[in-house]
Amino acid sequence: MAEILVTWFSRSGSTEQAARALAARLGADAEPILVPASYAGAAGFFRGVWQSMLRRPVAVQAGVNPVAYRLVVVGTPVWAGQPSAPVRSWLSRHGPRIRTLAAFCVSGSGAPCDGVFDEIEGLVGRELAATLSLAQRDVLAGGADAALDAFAGGLREDLAQTA
């Protein structure tokens, strides 16, 4: 088991692509947040946006225990200016017990996701160790590599300082 876990929810695949690239850079374990309900297609998209806007909890399937890691990095798509409902539910369950938490988001616009990160901090009850906002178009075109490199480097430095 690695010291770092990268976990994420991805509806369209771009958040997963960024998460797997980040996990490879960090030598981290990679674990998706799985849900029994499908968010595919237009109906799934609108259901997800609606759940995020209303901050509705959704069922998430159990995976690895994130508490066993020194650092957990969670990735979420941005839905209606909010973290995705599956990530919100996962963080509500595990977030307060995680030692060190960082987060990244992938949005259609690529604008800073400060509101998303504020929401995550509220769910876990503390400040995030680091954050990264990515544009979906950059992730899909490979244009997020420099940002992922810098984010991974900063996380490794922070982890080394707390060893």
Side-chain angles (χ1 to χ4, degrees), residues 28-116:
D29 289 343
E31 176 83 16
I33 296 169
L34 301 174
V35 294
S38 172
Y39 287 95
F45 171 78
F46 287 114
R47 183 177 54 256
V49 168
W50 183 251
Q51 290 170 338
S52 289
M53 288 173 54
L54 296 179
R55 294 175 169 82
R56 288 205 172 152
V58 299
V60 293
Q61 296 175 349
V64 299
N65 181 4
V67 177
Y69 293 87
R70 285 186 55 209
L71 170 65
V72 175
V73 183
V74 65
T76 184
V78 178
W79 291 354
Q82 302 292 322
S84 67
V87 167
R88 178 182 280 110
S89 295
W90 188 89
L91 286 167
S92 294
R93 178 191 288 176
H94 299 293
R97 298 186 337 257
I98 293 171
R99 287 189 259 184
T100 305
L101 181 67
F104 72 92
C105 69
V106 178
S107 69
S109 70
C113 300
D114 295 339
V116 171

